[in-house]
């Protein structure tokens, strides 16, 4: 949870406590220099990381491989990830108290499938990791008041396997099948994936197209953040320091004559998508298409939601191709090229995948009407 990336904090240096045995284990030749123990109490050492050395370690982390190693083969300075405080609260109140500690940058650890790699690459460098895995009250998947409510500790695999969640909102199961690999789905959490706010992630797009809500708590109370205000940029969400995302609410499929579709293209199964589309479509009483909308993965800094109604309204529900919807998607997006795909290729994929997702959604809608 709370695994969205932030810049490392350098100001004023940092003091971190570690057990004496751990400190001795990582004290290697060519190592920490000015990070040697400053004092000890009850079997613990205290290290002070200066402003200058913290910047140096960050440069080592993002530089070339040879730049990170000294002449003796040991990593220069600190091993990665950098030393970090650890707290394992027994209640939500304890977790919020730890997150609210003054002058401490804290990150929440639930599944760790996004946070731990970021810490290893020094793209996230918190002072404190708050492990919420003992907060059993946050481990649930339930359908209540027309919402699929997913707690902060519910693993992807639990949401994927929930018959009630799939019946209320089929898009959840359709999208979760594409999330990484079984090993990651068994540990990673759905709420954590959303808070991570990766624009290539499946669950942020699902939340966006469904107009869902994220509930967050802090020592000052609780608040709800709509999906339209939640994603601020790549790996940046509206969760503030000191807050814990406790639940995500996905609206159930409200219309009786509605269906959903999800598809994506990646270089290998389980990789992040080069492009992906999560779609919803619904029918009129005469059986023709009433409207549709879709959310797109990897097409911008945040999950992008596009209203496709103008391109499909009034069309026959048995259409096998939606060229107007595909053209609209290609027209609206101008993705930044990268090492995975050019702008032209991604725009082409957006059009093709829009047609595929709509076809699947309308097939579901017809089945709902006829079934």
């Amino acid at each position: 949870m709370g695994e969205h990336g932030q810049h490392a904090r350098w100001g004023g240096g940092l003091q971190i406590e570690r057990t004496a045995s751990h400190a001795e284990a990582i004290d290697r030749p060519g190592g920490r220099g000015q990070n040697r123990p400053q004092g000890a109490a009850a079997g613990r050492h205290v290290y002070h990381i200066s402003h200058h050395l913290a910047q140096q370690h960050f440069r080592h982390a993002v530089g070339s491989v040879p730049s990170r190693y000294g002449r003796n083969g040991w990593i220069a300075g600190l091993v990665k990830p950098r030393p970090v405080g650890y707290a394992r609260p027994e209640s939500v109140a304890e977790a919020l108290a730890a997150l609210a500690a003054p002058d401490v940058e804290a990150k929440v650890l639930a599944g760790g499938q996004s946070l731990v790699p970021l810490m290893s690459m020094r793209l996230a460098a918190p002072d404190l990791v708050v492990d919420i895995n003992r907060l059993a009250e946050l481990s649930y998947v339930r359908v209540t008041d027309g919402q699929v409510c997913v707690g902060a500790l519910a693993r992807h695999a639990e949401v994927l396997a929930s018959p009630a969640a799939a019946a209320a909102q089929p898009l959840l199961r359709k999208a979760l099948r594409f999330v990484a690999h079984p090993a990651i789905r068994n540990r990673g959490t759905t709420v954590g994936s959303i808070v991570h706010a990766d624009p290539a992630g499946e669950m942020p797009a699902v939340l966006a197209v469904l107009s869902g809500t994220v509930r967050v708590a802090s020592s000052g109370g609780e608040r709800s953040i709509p999906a339209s205000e939640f994603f601020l940029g790549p790996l940046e969400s509206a969760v503030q320091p000191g807050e814990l995302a406790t639940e995500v609410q996905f609206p159930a499929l409200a219309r009786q004559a509605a269906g959903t579709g999800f598809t994506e293209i990646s270089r290998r199964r389980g990789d992040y998508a080069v492009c992906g589309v999560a779609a919803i479509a619904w029918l009129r009483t005469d059986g023709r298409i009433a409207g549709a909308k879709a959310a797109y993965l990897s097409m911008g800094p945040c999950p992008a939601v596009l209203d496709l109604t103008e391109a499909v309204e009034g069309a026959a529900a048995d259409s096998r191709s939606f060229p107007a919807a595909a053209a609209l998607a290609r027209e609206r997006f101008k993705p930044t090229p990268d090492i995975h795909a050019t702008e032209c290729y991604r725009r082409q994929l957006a059009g093709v995948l829009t047609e595929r997702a709509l076809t699947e959604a309308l097939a579901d809608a017809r089945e709902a009407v006829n079934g």
Side-chain angles (χ1 to χ4, degrees), residues 141-232:
V141 182
R142 54 183 176 234
V143 179
T144 308
D145 297 328
Q147 305 276 342
V148 179
C149 302
V150 179
L153 273 184
R155 314 295 172 180
H156 290 307
E158 295 176 58
V159 184
L160 181 61
S162 169
Q169 183 45 263
L171 187 56
L172 288 174
R173 178 171 288 181
K174 291 180 179 183
L176 282 166
R177 289 197 298 252
F178 286 89
V179 173
H181 304 283
I184 290 176
R185 293 196 293 269
N186 286 339
R187 285 300 302 166
T189 64
T190 298
V191 174
S193 174
I194 288 170
V195 175
H196 183 52
D198 194 320
E202 291 82 4
M203 300 320 292
V206 170
L207 185 76
V209 77
L210 295 177
S211 300
T213 303
V214 180
R215 292 187 58 80
V216 300
S218 69
S219 55
E222 295 184 344
R223 66 188 180 113
S224 295
I225 311 172
S228 59
E229 301 173 10
F230 188 77
F231 302 105
L232 306 181

Side-chain angles (χ1 to χ4, degrees), residues 64-265:
S64 64
V65 172
S67 75
R68 298 201 299 268
Y69 290 86
R71 294 176 60 185
N72 296 324
W74 303 111
I75 192 164
L78 298 173
V79 295
K80 62 170 192 171
R82 75 167 194 173
V84 61
Y86 177 82
R88 184 178 249 186
E90 301 286 342
S91 68
V92 172
E94 287 184 15
L96 296 179
L99 292 171
D103 301 321
V104 172
E105 180 185 336
K107 291 285 191 181
V108 180
L109 174 69
Q113 302 305 296
S114 299
L115 177 61
V116 173
L118 286 179
M119 290 174 61
S120 294
M121 294 185 288
R122 303 279 179 103
L123 298 177
D127 306 329
L128 176 69
V129 169
V130 180
D131 184 346
I132 65 168
N133 278 281
R134 288 185 176 174
L135 309 186
E137 65 266 39
L138 297 182
S139 181
Y140 59 84
V141 182
R142 54 183 176 234
V143 179
T144 308
D145 297 328
Q147 305 276 342
V148 179
C149 302
V150 179
L153 273 184
R155 314 295 172 180
H156 290 307
E158 295 176 58
V159 184
L160 181 61
S162 169
Q169 183 45 263
L171 187 56
L172 288 174
R173 178 171 288 181
K174 291 180 179 183
L176 282 166
R177 289 197 298 252
F178 286 89
V179 173
H181 304 283
I184 290 176
R185 293 196 293 269
N186 286 339
R187 285 300 302 166
T189 64
T190 298
V191 174
S193 174
I194 288 170
V195 175
H196 183 52
D198 194 320
E202 291 82 4
M203 300 320 292
V206 170
L207 185 76
V209 77
L210 295 177
S211 300
T213 303
V214 180
R215 292 187 58 80
V216 300
S218 69
S219 55
E222 295 184 344
R223 66 188 180 113
S224 295
I225 311 172
S228 59
E229 301 173 10
F230 188 77
F231 302 105
L232 306 181
L235 307 185
E236 185 180 6
S237 75
V239 177
Q240 298 296 313
E243 290 185 327
L244 170 66
T246 57
E247 180 182 271
V248 170
Q249 298 173 347
F250 300 95
L253 200 58
R255 298 177 176 88
Q256 182 178 1
T260 62
F262 189 95
T263 186
E264 67 177 46
I265 293 290

Side-chain angles (χ1 to χ4, degrees), residues 294-320:
Y296 293 80
L297 290 66
S298 299
M299 294 299 287
C302 300
V305 179
L306 183 59
D307 189 343
L308 301 170
T309 300
E310 63 180 273
V312 299
E313 187 176 14
D318 59 357
S319 299
R320 299 194 178 204

Side-chain angles (χ1 to χ4, degrees), residues 298-357:
S298 299
M299 294 299 287
C302 300
V305 179
L306 183 59
D307 189 343
L308 301 170
T309 300
E310 63 180 273
V312 299
E313 187 176 14
D318 59 357
S319 299
R320 299 194 178 204
S321 179
F322 301 95
L328 181 62
R330 288 194 294 267
E331 175 189 334
R332 294 290 175 88
F333 293 113
K334 301 205 180 309
T336 302
D338 56 27
I339 61 172
H340 303 293
T342 64
E343 175 188 346
C344 180
Y345 179 57
R346 271 208 169 92
R347 290 174 64 196
Q348 175 65 16
L349 281 181
V352 171
L353 298 185
T354 295
E355 294 190 53
R356 292 182 186 175

